[in-house]
Amino acid sequence: MATLWSKISAVLPHNEEQFPLQFSDKVESSVVEMLQRSRRQLYSDTTSASRMIHAQIILDFSWEKLNTGTWRHVDKEWRRVYSYGCLFKVAALCREDPSADELLQAVRTCDMGLLMGAAIMDNILQVVVRILQGEVRKSTKEEEESEPTEVKRIKIECPNVPVINEELAIPRVKCPSLESFNTNYLLPLKPVILEGIIEHWPALNQHPWSIEYLRCVAGCRTVPVEVGSRYTDEEWSQTLLTVNEFIDRYILNKDEVKGLGYLAQHQLFDQIPELKEDIRPPDYCCLGEGDEEDITVNAWFGPGGTVSPLHQDPQQNFLAQVVGSKYIRLYSPEDTDKLYPHQSQLLHNTSQVEVENPDTERFPEFADAPYLECVLHPGDVLFIPVQHWHYVRSLELSFSVSFWWS
């Protein structure tokens, strides 16, 4: 721990003059003055308490700005201010020999900046959090060696796998050429399961994804978690938890809590580059119009029983299964009228029908809508064409990765 601050200070600008603080006139001068004061304290012998007070003032003020009105109307300048506040708070926490709790608080502060703020100084919060995470892993390893703890085993789930009607089964193809995929599936917008195209992923080989691996690379990291079995439920909500808290509460002890928790977000791989290095965008994405950086990568991790209601997305989608299995049903956009989308603008891309238990009186035409179905297993990649309606139910503990591309 004694060398932590030297590691952090090594990635900061060498002096106050090299530390950038440029903002537009949208940020009040009093806030800029507070930021400049915190910068000055960063390079002077000030008490940690004084540094913490000024950093917290910046955070409190910018947090209010972030939570006024809708998120899309929050000016990026205020998100940058919030990130600077996070950086100054981490410096206050780590300047002297931090306790284990202060170290975890510093990691959470970085994550809040990465989630709610905007990138500053070549994404310095990402650099700092990797340093902090290394210290957390080191201290955790020392604790485990000195006091071996009993590992709580997850109950092995025996999924009730639906029987797939061969006539309704989504076709499977092993490693088609780019030309073949483009001609037979992409251009005519036909769903297909691609086999053998992600076998080279480290997530399936060198260090297979598991609860233990996720704890190791991301256990102390704070991430958004969806609480509830499906996002259309009234009790559905979102919260922030560390990955360890999520696993303990919703994976290992899911019988002891009300509802289900689901880690579903696109920022996970930006927050935790170690996980991003374990996967690769399918080569077929090169047939799209954009570059690789235009691909949106999403993580989907949760227990069996979690449901994504029948919905459609505005982009092509490759859904890659890494851990566990999922039952999936697809409907063509040509049959949208039979799927009874919600009338509200917020949920217009989501069906009102409970796919596996439909209310035939309210939705009489749903039974006439043709569909395709499958069970997706580790190593499978499902191509979901743009605007195709899809319903997903996790049959067991599951980790999937989706790639949205145009």
Side-chain angles (χ1 to χ4, degrees), residues 176-184 287:
S177 66
L178 290 174
E179 182 181 1
S180 173
F181 174 77
N182 189 52
T183 301
N184 297 319
L287 297 169

Side-chain angles (χ1 to χ4, degrees), residues 285-327:
C285 291
C286 73
L287 297 169
E289 298 173 352
D291 298 322
E292 184 170 323
E293 55 266 25
D294 298 320
I295 300 170
T296 301
V297 187
N298 298 280
W300 311 93
F301 175 53
T306 309
V307 168
S308 291
L310 187 61
H311 68 285
Q312 59 180 182
D313 297 315
Q315 291 182 290
Q316 315 282 12
N317 184 2
F318 282 122
L319 180 62
Q321 192 66 17
V322 182
V323 176
S325 56
K326 287 181 169 177
Y327 170 69

Side-chain angles (χ1 to χ4, degrees), residues 47-288:
T47 65
S48 292
S50 178
R51 292 190 184 95
M52 182 64 75
I53 289 171
H54 287 92
Q56 197 60 52
I57 290 172
I58 294 168
L59 286 173
D60 290 344
F61 197 92
S62 56
W63 182 257
E64 185 175 337
K65 294 287 187 179
L66 297 188
N67 288 276
T68 301
T70 58
W71 178 252
R72 66 177 177 272
H73 292 139
V74 174
D75 195 278
K76 188 177 180 180
E77 290 287 83
W78 283 109
R79 293 175 59 198
R80 292 179 61 239
V81 170
Y82 183 77
S83 292
Y84 274 106
C86 290
L87 178 60
F88 291 136
K89 182 174 180 177
V90 169
L93 286 165
C94 299
R95 188 63 175 259
E96 297 170 8
D97 190 18
S99 66
D101 285 344
E102 288 173 330
L103 187 56
L104 291 175
Q105 188 180 350
V107 172
R108 178 179 172 81
T109 300
C110 281
D111 280 327
M112 291 301 294
L114 291 169
L115 289 168
M116 303 297 293
I120 56 170
M121 299 166 59
D122 295 325
N123 211 4
I124 185 125
L125 289 177
Q126 185 65 264
V127 177
V128 171
V129 79
R130 296 191 79 164
I131 295 171
L132 296 173
Q133 201 171 351
E135 295 295 324
V136 171
R137 289 176 187 162
K138 190 190 304 180
S139 60
T140 302
K141 186 176 180 181
E142 291 171 356
E143 287 178 13
E144 289 174 350
E145 290 174 351
S146 61
E147 296 182 24
T149 55
E150 181 182 349
V151 177
K152 181 163 184 177
R153 300 292 179 185
I154 185 171
K155 297 176 184 177
I156 302 299
E157 300 176 71
C158 297
N160 182 14
V161 180
V163 177
I164 304 299
N165 186 327
E166 287 188 14
E167 296 179 357
L168 305 178
I170 298 171
R172 289 175 171 267
V173 179
K174 190 173 180 66
C175 298
S177 66
L178 290 174
E179 182 181 1
S180 173
F181 174 77
N182 189 52
T183 301
N184 297 319
Y185 303 103
L186 180 58
L187 292 178
L189 298 177
K190 289 185 177 180
V192 64
I193 295 172
L194 304 173
E195 299 179 339
I197 70 167
I198 61 171
E199 291 176 351
H200 61 290
W201 279 12
L204 290 164
N205 288 296
Q206 289 94 317
H207 26 76
W209 283 1
S210 64
I211 286 179
E212 291 73 22
Y213 180 69
L214 199 58
R215 282 193 189 278
C216 178
V217 301
C220 63
R221 304 299 299 276
T222 298
V223 294
V225 171
E226 298 180 2
V227 180
S229 61
R230 63 191 76 200
Y231 64 78
T232 50
D233 292 347
E234 287 186 9
E235 65 271 18
W236 183 88
S237 63
Q238 289 180 302
T239 188
L240 291 173
L241 296 173
T242 65
V243 171
N244 278 335
E245 289 170 339
F246 167 71
I247 290 172
D248 291 337
R249 190 175 304 178
Y250 294 105
I251 304 297
L252 299 182
N253 294 322
K254 68 177 187 295
D255 292 335
E256 301 171 20
V257 297
K258 183 179 180 181
L260 297 170
Y262 204 53
L263 196 166
Q265 58 137 332
H266 67 275
Q267 288 178 295
L268 184 69
F269 297 111
D270 292 330
Q271 270 187 273
I272 306 162
E274 294 97 325
L275 288 177
K276 192 171 187 178
E277 291 164 5
D278 288 344
I279 62 175
R280 307 283 187 273
D283 292 341
Y284 306 97
C285 291
C286 73
L287 297 169

